């Protein structure tokens, strides 16, 4: 009797499992597709890169293990410190500009009564341009001769700037490009967050006599705190990998003033043919970014719970 | 769609994707021969890089005609041409090697050859290269680029020594004589000043300073002045010398005292080409291939440009391109590849030297490059035919051609790209900062270069 009950229970469980699998087959199918894509295009390259950082390879013969030699190569390079300092400064400046500007733009767009759709389109337009096109457009803006920016400075009787051609202004010039290119995405995300704030809160604040700045300070910022934090972390992770701007505009110069970690990594791998050293530098960058990513996951999880 | 059907579709898709990933060279494998098993006349298929792209129909037609003619001569050899523009891309070179899609006979610039040899990424063709009939006539300095010790790893296609490219039209406008281009750096400086004086936007002398091109041109100028990049053993830097200092002093003076180099700096390869093509740049370091590129790709006209020897040149940095062999290529493929290279790149009046056809196609003929054979019989034959079918103003390149016969060509230093990256800093400093301390810049660069060279030895 007991045996029959156990067998019946097992059969019921198996049946429920099969039904569950059958019911979710489509979902599993999609999951497989996503897993395969991630495995091929994200996880495998990541594992390969980690292995590469401890190896020396010419892609012809089997790679040889060299321990920490590649890490020694990159840390002993005088450009190593320059690259990390520039990356940190770029990230800091990109946060000051790239973080604040889209938020302010979103608040302004949210407050507007007219031409909302048109202005949203205008703000988002740079995102639709291929990054290389956007960057090369700025190459002309920054031209010290007939460039747009110096023409504008000339119009208002201000002295011309060297922009990319001076070690003092080159990095900030790249930050401006980066801010312009990413403005649209940030603004739209902030705008969505702003529009989810209940209107009653603003009405109550208005009844209490709060002006625009007080409404922003006491209602908007507290209500969008989470999205602001998430965007901050995502932006740190994205801007620390800056590559295309120095690659296309300055070649890392002048005097290494715009040499970033990602650009140095490219130099090692593709210009010097040392993929091991490039991999080592990549792994260092990955570890730093993982710290910020861990914060991001923590915040997301806390929010869900 | 039912879940079962969908999962079958997904499974089929995955299998097909996996099959697609693994079939990159399936077509070629059928025709491959295993090492040591094929007879000399067994059928062999080779892939060859740098077929002109479809966007260049004239050169592509000529290439295809040559392939057909060659295959008729050698019915057992099948050539699979691989087109690309540019012919080599540093970003994909390693990936092609890693992915097994590198051509059997692949294209290289002189700059990369020693790096490729040191990395073991090209086959040693010494046992087979003796079959090339005119091997002994090839210029030893050009062949030395493809050698390491007594081993040979490739063959040249074009070569040039560095000179001074100048805009004849601007020379005339500035009151200078285009028939008498500068012979000294003082003359270059004076001419640059006059050209820059034509008005806003005019640049007398242009120079690179980013993306490793600054270091490359520093080397060209240094060699011209008789300096050395590395010591005789190749283990220490030698550019922190009076010659190295003179290179930077000269640039600093032109940039800041004369204001003849324009405000826009951090220029890379394409920037100077565009400026030359736009007709606002007076002079730059370069070779006749610069004029060809300016004419073909940057809207310049052959008639407006001339090339002369590098001022005061004691030696000249040599450049060019050629072909190497996939390290996994079988002996049969290497032998077939050598036959093709001899046919297409190294035989007078044939392949790239078929000047009669080139003229008929309306392509430029008459530039004094390549000069693969120097003063030997095939060299003389090439020069003669080139003169006969010339379509470009040959006299505009005469000063360069004359000087080339006496100026010693020098190959690039070891760890060239690393040294160029280091020297980019000094070049960009001098061109973007008026108070740049040349002694300090050279000393810093020397210390960094010594580290790199010590590691490589």
């Amino acid at each position: 009797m007991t045996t029959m009950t156990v067998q019946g229970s097992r059969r019921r469980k198996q049946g429920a499992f099969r039904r569950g699998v059958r019911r979710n087959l489509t979902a599993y199918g999609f999951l497989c597709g996503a897993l395969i894509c991630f495995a091929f295009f994200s996880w495998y390259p990541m594992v390969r890169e980690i292995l590469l950082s401890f190896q020396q390879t010419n892609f012809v013969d089997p790679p040889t293990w060299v321990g920490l030699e590649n890490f020694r190569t990159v840390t002993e390079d005088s450009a190593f410190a320059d690259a990390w300092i520039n990356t940190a400064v770029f990230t800091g400046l990109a946060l000051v500009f790239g973080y604040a500007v889209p938020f302010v733009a979103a608040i302004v767009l949210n407050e507007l009564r007219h031409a909302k759709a048109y202005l949203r389109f205008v703000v988002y337009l740079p995102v639709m341009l291929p990054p290389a096109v956007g960057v090369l457009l700025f190459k002309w803006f920054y031209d010290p001769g007939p460039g747009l920016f110096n023409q504008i400075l000339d119009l208002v009787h201000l002295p011309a700037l060297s922009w990319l051609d001076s070690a003092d202004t080159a990095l900030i010039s790249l930050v401006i490009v980066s801010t312009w290119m990413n403005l649209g995405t940030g603004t739209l995300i902030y705008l969505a967050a702003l529009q989810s704030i209940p209107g009653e809160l603003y009405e109550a604040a208005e009844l209490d006599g709060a002006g625009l700045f007080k409404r922003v300070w006491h209602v908007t910022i507290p209500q969008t705190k989470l999205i602001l934090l998430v965007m901050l972390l995502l932006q740190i992770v994205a801007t620390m990998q800056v590559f295309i701007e120095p690659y296309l505009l300055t070649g890392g110069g002048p005097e290494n003033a715009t040499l970033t970690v990602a650009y140095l990594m490219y130099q090692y791998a593709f210009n010097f043919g040392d993929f091991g050293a490039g991999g080592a530098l990549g792994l260092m960058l990955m570890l730093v970014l993982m710290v910020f990513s861990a914060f991001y996951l923590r915040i997301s999880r806390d929010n869900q719970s | 769609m039912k879940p079962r059907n969908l999962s079958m579709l997904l499974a089929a898709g995955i299998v097909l994707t996996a099959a697609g990933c693994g079939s990159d060279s399936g077509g070629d494998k059928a025709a491959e021969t295993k090492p040591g098993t094929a007879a000399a006349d067994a059928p062999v298929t080779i892939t060859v890089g740098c077929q002109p792209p479809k966007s260049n129909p004239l050169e592509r037609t000529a290439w295809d005609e040559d392939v057909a003619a060659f295959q008729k001569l050698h019915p057992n050899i099948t050539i699979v041409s691989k087109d690309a523009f540019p012919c080599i891309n540093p970003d994909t070179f390693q990936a092609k090697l890693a992915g097994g899609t590198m051509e059997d006979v692949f294209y290289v610039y002189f700059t990369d050859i020693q790096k490729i040899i040191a990395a073991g990424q090209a086959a040693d063709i010494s046992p087979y290269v003796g079959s090339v009939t005119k091997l002994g006539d090839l210029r030893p300095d050009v062949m030395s680029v493809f050698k390491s010790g007594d081993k040979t790893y490739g063959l040249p296609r074009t070569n040039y020594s560095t000179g001074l490219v100048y805009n004849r039209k601007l020379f005339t406008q500035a009151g200078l004589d285009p028939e008498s281009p500068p012979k000294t750096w003082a003359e270059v400086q004076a001419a640059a000043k006059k050209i820059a004086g034509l008005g806003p936007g005019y640049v007398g002398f242009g120079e690179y300073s980013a993306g490793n091109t600054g270091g490359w041109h520093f080397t060209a100028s240094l060699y011209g002045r008789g300096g050395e990049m590395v010591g005789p053993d190749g283990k220490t830097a030698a550019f922190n010398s009076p010659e190295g200092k003179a290179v930077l002093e000269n640039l600093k003076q032109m940039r800041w005292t004369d204001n003849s180099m324009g405000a826009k700096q951090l220029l890379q390869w394409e920037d100077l080409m565009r400026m030359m093509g736009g007709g606002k740049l007076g002079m730059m370091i370069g070779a006749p291939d610069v004029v060809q590129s300016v004419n073909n790709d940057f809207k310049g006209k052959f008639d407006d440009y001339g090339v002369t020897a590098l001022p005061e040149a004691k030696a000249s940095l040599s450049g060019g391109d050629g072909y190497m062999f996939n390290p996994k290529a079988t002996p049969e493929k290497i032998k077939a590849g050598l036959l093709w290279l001899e046919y297409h790149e190294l035989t007078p009046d044939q392949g790239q030297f078929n000047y009669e056809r080139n003229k008929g196609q309306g392509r430029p003929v008459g530039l004094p490059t390549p000069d693969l054979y120097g003063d030997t019989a095939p060299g003389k034959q090439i020069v003669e035919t080139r003169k006969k079918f010339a379509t470009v103003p040959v006299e505009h390149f005469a000063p360069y051609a004359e000087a080339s016969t006496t100026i010693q060509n020098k190959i690039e230093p070891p760890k060239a790209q690393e040294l160029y990256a280091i020297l980019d800093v000094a070049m960009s400093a001098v061109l973007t900062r008026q108070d740049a301390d040349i002694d300090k810049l050279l000393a810093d660069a020397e210390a960094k270069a010594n580290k790199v060279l010590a590691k490589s030895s």
Side-chain angles (χ1 to χ4, degrees):
Chain A
M1 182 72 182
T2 315
T3 317
M4 279 174 67
T5 314
V6 170
Q7 280 178 347
S9 157
R10 197 178 294 155
R11 235 177 265 135
R12 271 198 302 278
K13 274 184 189 164
Q14 281 176 350
F17 176 73
R18 281 195 198 122
R19 275 197 301 280
V21 169
R22 215 172 293 138
R23 198 166 46 239
N24 295 319
L25 203 58
T26 311
Y28 288 129
F30 281 117
L31 188 65
C32 274
L35 283 175
I36 288 167
C37 282
F38 270 111
F40 270 113
F41 300 114
S42 290
W43 300 329
Y44 173 69
M46 228 184 276
V47 171
R48 208 44 227 282
E49 199 260 352
I50 293 169
L51 292 176
L52 207 58
S53 62
F54 297 99
Q55 293 175 335
Q56 199 162 43
T57 179
N58 63 359
F59 297 111
V60 179
D61 306 312
T64 49
W65 290 92
V66 292
L68 295 174
E69 185 55 37
N70 292 325
F71 293 88
R72 206 167 298 130
T73 301
V74 293
T75 49
E76 283 175 1
D77 185 346
S78 56
F80 178 79
D82 289 343
W84 279 101
I85 291 168
N86 291 339
T87 303
V89 173
F90 182 92
T91 307
L93 289 172
L95 286 183
V96 171
F97 292 97
Y99 191 57
V101 173
F103 189 60
V104 172
I107 291 172
V108 171
L109 279 177
N110 200 38
E111 294 291 322
L112 281 176
R113 298 278 181 265
H114 305 288
K116 267 186 175 180
Y118 170 73
L119 285 171
R120 267 183 229 174
F121 172 74
V122 169
V123 168
Y124 197 70
L125 197 61
V127 181
M128 290 191 262
L129 278 179
V133 175
V135 170
L136 291 175
L137 191 67
F138 270 82
K139 198 169 188 175
W140 172 66
F141 290 169
Y142 284 138
D143 192 306
L148 181 72
F149 289 162
N150 275 354
Q151 299 284 341
I152 292 170
L153 289 176
D154 189 46
L155 274 179
V156 293
H157 304 291
L158 284 172
L161 286 176
S162 297
W163 301 107
L164 301 169
D165 293 325
S166 162
D168 299 329
T169 51
L171 200 64
I172 187 82
S173 302
L174 297 192
V175 172
I176 294 170
V177 182
S178 171
T179 304
W180 180 80
M181 288 207 309
N182 299 310
L183 175 70
T185 310
T187 305
L188 283 195
I189 292 171
Y190 291 134
L191 197 57
L194 291 177
Q195 286 175 348
S196 68
I197 300 173
E200 302 88 65
L201 293 177
Y202 286 109
E203 282 166 21
E206 267 182 71
L207 286 174
D208 288 343
L212 175 67
F213 289 106
K214 280 198 172 174
R215 287 206 304 272
V216 169
W217 186 253
H218 292 292
V219 179
T220 310
I221 292 178
Q223 287 294 313
T224 53
K225 200 170 67 185
L226 182 75
I227 195 84
L228 285 174
L229 200 56
V230 168
M231 287 295 285
L232 177 77
L233 292 169
L234 287 179
Q235 200 168 332
I236 290 172
V237 172
T239 50
M240 281 198 84
Q241 298 176 65
V242 56
F243 170 73
I244 191 164
E245 291 89 349
Y247 177 69
L248 287 175
L249 288 175
T250 59
E255 299 181 70
N256 283 350
T258 57
L259 182 76
T260 62
V261 175
Y263 188 75
L264 185 61
M265 204 160 71
Y266 169 84
Q267 277 222 321
Y268 270 116
F270 296 105
N271 288 339
F272 308 159
D274 190 346
F275 271 75
L281 199 52
L283 183 57
M284 289 180 198
L285 183 62
M286 194 167 89
L287 290 174
V288 172
L289 296 181
M290 273 171 73
V291 174
F292 292 105
S293 301
F295 275 122
Y296 166 72
L297 287 175
R298 175 89 186 268
I299 290 165
S300 305
R301 206 176 300 140
D302 287 352
N303 184 46
Q304 278 169 2
S305 62
Chain B
M1 190 181 280
K2 285 180 184 173
R4 192 177 164 197
N5 294 348
L6 184 67
S7 54
M8 281 171 71
L9 193 68
L10 276 171
I14 292 161
V15 171
L16 282 174
T17 310
C21 289
S23 65
D24 58 340
S25 58
D28 292 352
K29 274 180 185 165
E32 272 182 16
T33 51
K34 285 179 185 171
T37 58
D41 58 352
V44 61
T45 298
I46 53 168
T47 50
V48 181
C50 202
Q51 177 194 30
K54 283 179 184 160
S55 55
N56 189 347
L58 295 179
E59 286 187 27
R60 192 179 175 97
T61 307
W63 172 283
D64 291 343
E65 278 174 16
D66 289 338
V67 167
F70 175 80
Q71 290 182 158
K72 213 171 172 183
L73 269 177
H74 303 277
N76 291 323
I77 300 174
T78 304
I79 290 186
V80 178
S81 308
K82 299 284 182 184
D83 67 356
F85 184 79
C87 287
I88 189 169
N89 182 351
D91 298 354
T92 56
F93 179 81
Q94 310 284 350
K96 278 167 82 175
L97 263 180
T101 55
M102 180 60 82
E103 296 89 8
D104 298 315
V105 186
F106 64 87
Y107 173 92
V108 282
Y109 292 129
F110 279 14
T111 312
D112 298 317
I113 291 169
Q114 288 301 321
K115 186 175 74 184
I116 291 170
I117 294 173
Q121 292 174 325
D124 172 14
I125 59 168
S126 315
Y128 321 104
V129 76
S131 67
V132 176
T133 50
K134 292 178 182 63
L135 187 71
D137 292 324
L138 282 166
R139 287 171 55 153
D141 57 343
V142 175
M143 275 311 291
S144 70
V145 178
F146 290 88
K147 286 188 171 183
S148 176
D150 55 355
K151 289 181 177 172
T152 305
Y153 292 87
L155 287 171
R157 183 181 83 155
T158 67
N159 73 308
Y160 58 81
S161 56
T162 313
L164 184 78
V165 179
Y166 65 103
N167 185 323
R168 295 172 60 90
K169 212 171 163 184
L170 282 188
F171 263 57
T172 309
Q173 278 180 40
L176 298 158
D177 181 8
E179 302 305 331
S180 176
K183 290 185 178 66
T184 64
W185 281 107
E187 286 176 16
V188 169
Q189 202 178 333
K193 218 169 160 181
K194 282 193 173 177
I195 292 165
L198 287 172
Y202 285 93
V203 174
F205 183 81
E207 189 51 285
Y208 299 128
S209 53
N212 297 4
T213 54
W216 173 47
H217 266 203
F218 173 89
T219 308
S221 295
L222 180 79
Y223 281 1
R225 290 173 184 270
E228 296 286 348
M229 279 293 281
V230 294
D233 58 357
K235 291 174 185 171
T236 49
F239 53 75
N240 187 7
S241 60
E243 292 85 7
K245 199 175 168 184
V247 171
L248 296 183
E249 290 282 9
N250 181 246
L251 288 174
K252 193 177 177 185
Q253 217 164 5
M254 283 201 280
R255 170 73 179 94
W256 300 106
T257 310
D258 302 347
N259 203 16
S260 62
M261 293 187 70
K264 189 174 158 56
Q265 298 301 328
L266 299 185
L267 304 172
Q268 301 191 36
W269 187 83
E270 212 172 83
D271 297 314
L272 284 187
M273 300 289 151
R274 195 173 293 115
M275 286 161 72
M276 216 19 129
K280 295 241 171 157
L281 173 62
M283 292 170 284
M284 65 177 280
I285 288 175
D289 69 312
V290 165
V291 180
Q292 187 157 3
S293 194
V294 166
N295 178 80
N296 293 354
D297 307 317
F298 295 93
K299 297 178 182 170
K301 284 181 188 160
F302 269 111
D303 289 347
D304 293 341
Y305 304 98
V307 185
T308 185
L310 202 61
E312 305 165 30
K314 295 180 174 69
S316 178
L317 176 65
S318 66
D321 56 28
Y323 283 93
M324 299 176 92
F325 290 78
N326 191 316
K328 290 183 177 165
T330 61
E332 286 67 33
K333 283 177 182 255
I334 293 174
K335 286 176 201 165
L338 286 170
L339 282 171
W340 162 252
L341 291 182
E342 181 169 14
Y343 178 88
H344 193 249
E345 316 298 353
L346 301 173
T347 306
D349 303 339
Q350 207 169 275
Q352 69 154 328
F353 295 118
N354 190 342
Y355 292 122
E356 189 176 2
R357 175 185 60 192
N358 294 357
K359 185 180 179 180
Q361 284 186 321
R363 287 162 59 193
V365 176
L367 292 174
T369 53
D371 178 17
L372 300 177
Y373 289 105
D375 205 24
T376 61
K380 282 176 186 161
Q381 193 181 338
I382 287 167
V383 169
E384 206 174 294
T385 325
R386 188 155 57 202
K387 206 170 156 189
K388 190 176 164 192
F389 295 106
T391 62
V392 301
V394 178
E395 64 280 6
H396 292 185
F397 306 97
Y400 169 87
E402 281 159 24
S404 294
T405 56
T406 54
I407 297 173
Q408 178 211 350
N409 280 348
K410 286 176 79 164
I411 61 170
E412 289 177 276
K415 289 275 169 186
Q417 292 295 346
E418 283 90 332
L419 297 190
Y420 294 166
I422 288 168
L423 284 160
D424 259 6
V425 174
M427 291 289 275
S428 62
V430 163
L431 294 174
T432 62
R433 194 156 48 83
Q434 197 164 1
D435 62 354
D437 180 348
I438 289 173
D439 290 329
K440 186 176 180 314
L441 286 168
L442 282 173
D444 286 351
E446 183 186 23
K448 290 175 193 171
N450 280 339
K451 269 190 189 176
V452 169
L453 292 166
K455 223 173 169 68
S456 70
S457 54

